Amino acid sequence: MRNIPKDGRFQRLLPWGLLAVAAMGLSAIFALAILHNVERQKHNSLRLLLEKGAALIRSFEAGTRAGMGGLQRQEFRLQRLLSETALQPDIVYLIVTATDGRVLAHSEVAKIDSLHGADLDLRALQGPERLNWRRITGTDGAEVFEVYRRFIPSLPPMGRHGMHRPRLHDPAGPVSPPDDENLEGSRFIFVGLDLGPVAAVERAEVRNAIVTGAGLLLAGVGGIVLVFLGSRYSQARTSLSRIQAFSDKLVASMPLGLLAMDSRETVTSFNPVAAALLRLPAVNLADRPVAALLPAAVLTVLDRLRGESRVVETEVALAGENGSTRFLAVTATALKDETGRPAGSLLLFKDLTDVRALRQEIERHRRLAAVGRLAAGVAHEIRNPLSSIKGFATYFRDRYAAVPEDDKIARIMIQEVDRLNRVVSHLLDFARPVRVSIKPVDLGAFLGDSLKLVESQALTGGITLQLDCSPMVAPVLLDPDRISQVLLNLYLNALDAMADGGRLTVTAGLDEARRLVRISVADTGKGIKPADLGQLFDPFFTTKGSGTGLGLAIAHNIIEAHGGEIRVDSHPGRGTCMSLLLPQKRALHDGKEPG
């Protein structure tokens, strides 16, 4: 037994052997199909010719029977029909003969009394219902398809030049056809049809069949070749398709915005994140120029890329909604083809708005921590001298009570010392870590009690108080003392903002989806300037003439200790709404800072 080469030559030759076997099988199938098609076409052509010949014979018989005026009139009519019908281009001749083959009527009058069909045994022909045909060669060498059979009705024997020979017949009626046993008076009709057009059609059909078969054979062989040669290509293409699908899905789902353009700076591809960041429609961006789509700040990055021909990384600021500003990190890089020529550019976008806000928040916490440490030290250093100053001021007030001016000065000193002591207390509250004690609270009753603290002050200022609290299925979790301190600060700020009267509205509700309690304090006062919103919770920032600037900073710390946040929505001249968002997850422990 011969060993198979280890180099895999047999495995490489096996597909080609199978290809050769398949090609031979296909060749045999297509050859049989071509032969069958040719035979079918030939059969159809002969059938059509045979039907045409039969139709002509029937028409001649009908024309002969319809003749009026005696036998001579019938014979004249038959001869005329033969001559006129033979003028058609596909009819070679029309002949009526006797049993011995002598021509009695001919489409060419000159051939009457000649012989035709002498090589046939006309006596052996069956009745007129049976057609006979044959293919012969005409006098000019052309192929002729001849259809013949007995001709009914029979006429008396014709003489030379189509004249009748004397024959007895029944004067009372038309001549009857002879019996099959007596064929002496029988006549036979021959219709010669031109086979040239049919042969041409047959040859054309053969050529078409051969061409079609050859084409199908080549297509079949080519298909088999492609099957064998394309197996690896199919596998590679499948792998490539999977990689392409993965890449498309990756680009579409990546958190970065991506926008690619060609050398003409028209968009070739983008992902939904890029469309969202640049405020572009998510469709119909392809083949559009980037100059008409991108903001001016991003186009400046492209200008830098064209000038530097390298990767450009920068941050740009874009106008957002309601006058806000969005910050994007933009990375631009040039694309080149395999020859090193520029092929386009690629832009990557990342939203830095939240990152910058987080950075600012971290920086604010750092400042607050530093201020808190400083405040704690200063507070301790100030409180002791303040106690001494207040003691001396009280002594002088009591000693010089009889002197009105000295008494007034002493009282002012005591008031200022008390104010400084409150500031120091606030500083200590701000610097001290906030500890909360979470308890279940009936929110509606709690908010009603908190509003009573400012009820008299609101009545004096002509301000209407309104409470709108959604029914709660269960108590909410919060530190009532700390939240009461926050609400009181918000109430007082709202009352100060409505010097000419107005309405203070407190609303509360539960967000089941986010598991949050929202408490909103809204006023109809003068509002807050947009420039002041960013430093609203910074310590010592205040717009009041006598404020310490620590109330909102402390309130912010308290809400953060609850794991919540404060949101501000203010419009100058239309009022301010301060919203407290408090989570309802029991992640906070009584008396401890939230982790």
Side-chain angles (χ1 to χ4, degrees):
M1 181 177 178
R2 185 177 178 181
N3 293 329
I4 299 177
K6 294 182 179 181
D7 59 358
R9 190 182 310 165
F10 176 77
Q11 285 79 358
R12 291 195 299 270
L13 294 178
L14 179 60
W16 295 103
L18 294 176
L19 175 62
V21 173
M24 289 187 292
L26 285 176
S27 299
I29 292 173
F30 285 125
L32 292 175
I34 291 172
L35 291 176
H36 174 72
N37 187 50
V38 170
E39 289 297 328
R40 182 173 56 83
Q41 292 293 340
K42 185 181 297 185
H43 174 75
N44 291 338
S45 299
L46 294 179
R47 183 173 56 82
L48 290 175
L49 289 175
L50 192 61
E51 290 178 355
K52 183 174 182 180
L56 287 172
I57 293 174
R58 287 194 297 270
S59 66
F60 294 144
E61 292 177 342
T64 303
R65 294 191 189 101
M68 302 296 295
L71 293 178
Q72 289 186 350
R73 179 70 174 174
Q74 293 177 350
E75 292 171 1
F76 174 77
R77 183 177 181 84
L78 176 61
Q79 181 61 45
R80 184 177 178 183
L81 285 173
L82 294 178
S83 300
E84 291 180 355
T85 307
L87 295 178
Q88 298 183 21
D90 54 344
I91 297 178
V92 180
Y93 54 79
L94 296 168
I95 304 172
V96 176
T97 69
T99 305
D100 56 359
R102 183 167 52 85
V103 176
L104 302 179
H106 201 294
S107 56
E108 298 179 19
V109 180
K111 294 185 178 182
I112 295 177
D113 285 340
S114 62
L115 292 178
H116 186 84
D119 56 333
L120 298 174
D121 187 5
L122 296 179
R123 296 177 179 274
L125 295 180
Q126 296 181 9
E129 70 280 355
R130 175 65 181 271
L131 284 175
N132 302 277
W133 63 273
R134 62 177 180 171
R135 300 177 68 157
I136 61 175
T137 302
T139 56
D140 56 354
E143 278 193 302
V144 178
F145 183 81
E146 189 177 73
V147 181
Y148 59 95
R149 70 170 172 83
R150 291 174 60 181
F151 184 62
I152 302 298
S154 298
L155 296 176
M158 289 186 177
R160 189 175 181 82
H161 304 296
M163 300 301 293
H164 287 284
R165 296 179 180 176
R167 181 180 176 190
L168 294 176
H169 59 278
D170 187 359
V175 179
S176 300
D179 297 333
D180 290 343
E181 293 82 1
N182 183 16
L183 296 176
E184 293 298 331
S186 296
R187 299 182 182 187
F188 301 88
I189 185 169
F190 294 82
V191 179
L193 301 175
D194 188 5
L195 270 178
V198 176
V201 172
E202 289 180 355
R203 290 191 296 270
E205 291 292 339
V206 170
R207 286 195 302 269
N208 292 338
I210 293 175
V211 170
T212 303
L216 293 175
L217 178 61
L218 291 177
V221 174
I224 296 175
V225 171
L226 290 177
V227 168
F228 283 106
L229 295 182
S231 58
R232 290 187 179 181
Y233 172 76
S234 178
Q235 295 176 358
R237 185 171 181 178
T238 301
S239 301
L240 182 61
S241 299
R242 292 176 180 174
I243 295 173
Q244 182 70 28
F246 176 76
S247 301
D248 293 342
K249 189 174 182 180
L250 179 64
V251 170
S253 59
M254 65 188 301
L256 297 178
L258 182 145
L259 188 145
M261 65 193 77
D262 56 19
S263 58
R264 298 176 297 145
E265 293 193 352
T266 59
V267 177
T268 56
S269 63
F270 66 98
N271 65 354
V273 178
L277 292 178
L278 298 174
R279 301 295 192 267
L280 299 176
V283 293
N284 300 328
L285 288 184
D287 297 330
R288 294 183 61 183
V290 295
L293 298 174
L294 300 183
V298 180
L299 294 177
T300 303
V301 179
L302 286 179
D303 294 336
R304 290 177 54 189
L305 181 65
R306 286 191 292 267
E308 301 175 10
S309 298
R310 61 181 180 84
V311 177
V312 177
E313 295 181 355
T314 185
E315 293 184 9
V316 297
L318 302 178
E321 299 177 354
N322 300 325
S324 61
T325 302
R326 297 182 297 114
F327 298 93
L328 299 182
V330 182
T331 302
T333 182
L335 302 177
K336 296 183 179 180
D337 59 15
E338 61 276 3
T339 62
R341 293 181 298 180
S345 304
L346 181 68
L347 294 177
L348 296 176
F349 304 94
K350 183 178 181 180
D351 192 355
L352 295 181
T353 305
D354 293 338
V355 175
R356 289 177 68 94
L358 182 60
R359 290 175 182 172
Q360 293 175 356
E361 185 70 15
I362 293 175
E363 184 62 27
R364 192 180 74 84
H365 279 284
R366 289 177 179 175
R367 293 197 309 268
L368 292 179
V371 171
R373 290 192 296 268
L374 177 63
V378 171
H380 285 292
E381 295 297 329
I382 291 178
R383 266 195 167 177
N384 292 332
L386 282 180
S387 299
S388 300
I389 293 173
K390 185 176 182 180
F392 283 116
T394 303
Y395 169 76
F396 285 119
R397 183 194 63 184
D398 295 339
R399 182 173 181 176
Y400 298 103
V403 182
E405 188 164 341
D406 292 342
D407 182 69
K408 180 179 179 181
I409 292 174
R411 291 181 182 279
I412 291 175
M413 291 177 62
I414 293 173
Q415 290 176 0
E416 292 300 318
V417 168
D418 289 338
R419 189 174 70 82
L420 286 176
N421 194 43
R422 287 196 301 272
V423 171
V424 171
S425 298
H426 288 166
L427 280 174
L428 290 175
D429 288 340
F430 174 73
R432 186 182 299 119
V434 178
R435 300 180 183 276
V436 294
S437 178
I438 301 297
K439 299 177 181 178
V441 175
D442 184 348
L443 190 60
F446 171 73
L447 294 177
D449 293 340
S450 67
L451 282 175
K452 291 180 181 179
L453 298 176
V454 295
E455 188 173 7
S456 60
Q457 187 174 347
L459 183 62
T460 303
I463 298 172
T464 303
L465 301 180
Q466 181 177 346
L467 175 61
D468 184 8
C469 181
S470 301
M472 300 291 176
V473 177
V476 298
L477 302 175
L478 50 83
D479 186 334
D481 295 334
R482 294 290 190 177
I483 297 300
S484 180
Q485 180 182 354
V486 173
L487 291 175
L488 180 61
N489 187 276
L490 298 182
Y491 295 161
L492 294 177
N493 288 342
L495 295 178
D496 290 341
M498 296 183 289
D500 298 329
R503 184 175 65 256
L504 175 63
T505 304
V506 180
T507 59
L510 181 64
D511 188 343
E512 294 288 352
R514 300 171 58 192
R515 302 190 66 182
L516 291 175
V517 171
R518 177 188 291 268
I519 304 173
S520 298
V521 178
D523 62 65
T524 58
K526 59 185 178 180
I528 304 173
K529 298 178 180 179
D532 296 338
L533 289 175
Q535 48 188 340
L536 200 61
F537 299 105
D538 290 347
F540 306 111
F541 174 79
T542 180
T543 57
K544 300 178 183 179
S546 60
T548 63
L550 291 173
L552 287 179
I554 295 173
H556 188 274
N557 290 347
I558 292 174
I559 297 302
E560 280 193 339
H562 279 78
E565 59 177 317
I566 301 180
R567 293 183 181 178
V568 183
D569 183 16
S570 182
H571 302 278
R574 290 188 292 170
T576 302
C577 180
M578 307 283 285
S579 298
L580 309 179
L581 301 180
L582 303 175
Q584 288 303 291
K585 295 183 295 183
R586 190 60 186 266
L588 305 176
H589 301 284
D590 294 352
K592 296 183 180 180
E593 291 186 59

